[in-house]
Every structure is written in structure tokens, then in C-alpha cells.
Amino acid sequence: MARVKAQTCECQCKMKRLYTRAEGGKGWDQIGWMCTCGCGCLTMDSGDWNIVNCDPVSCCN
């Protein structure tokens, strides 16, 4: 699997890649990004959906 440069949220924190089990149970599919810094940002690859916006007030930088 090729390396993908991590996206950053509005707080400039690196986001973690989200995966789901691939069809047939062989391997993993990349489905989106989630920020673990506390801002709550969550995005999905399909159409670049922004499920939860970044909340800079909650960011624990």
C-alpha cells in the first residue's frame, strides 16, 4: 500500500487514516480521516464529505 500524506485539521494537527475491512475480508480499504487531537474533525473520502467540522476551541494543542 502506498504511503498517503496525512491531512491536517484546522488546528494543523495531523489526522489519522480510517479503514474498513475490504470486500471479501481480504485487507483494508481507506475510507476517510479522523483527528485525534480533540477537535472532533471527521471526513470521508467519498466526495470529500465533512461529517464533523473541526472545533478549534476543543483542540488540545
Side-chain angles (χ1 to χ4, degrees), residues 14-16 34-39 41 60:
K14 285 187 180 179
M15 298 175 77
K16 304 285 184 190
M34 176 181 68
C35 197
T36 57
C37 75
C39 72
C41 187
C60 13

Side-chain angles (χ1 to χ4, degrees), residues 10-30:
E10 290 176 31
C11 302
Q12 301 308 310
C13 299
K14 285 187 180 179
M15 298 175 77
K16 304 285 184 190
R17 203 70 172 113
L18 291 176
Y19 296 91
T20 188
R21 200 72 170 139
E23 193 173 321
K26 297 185 188 292
W28 297 92
D29 288 335
Q30 302 173 9

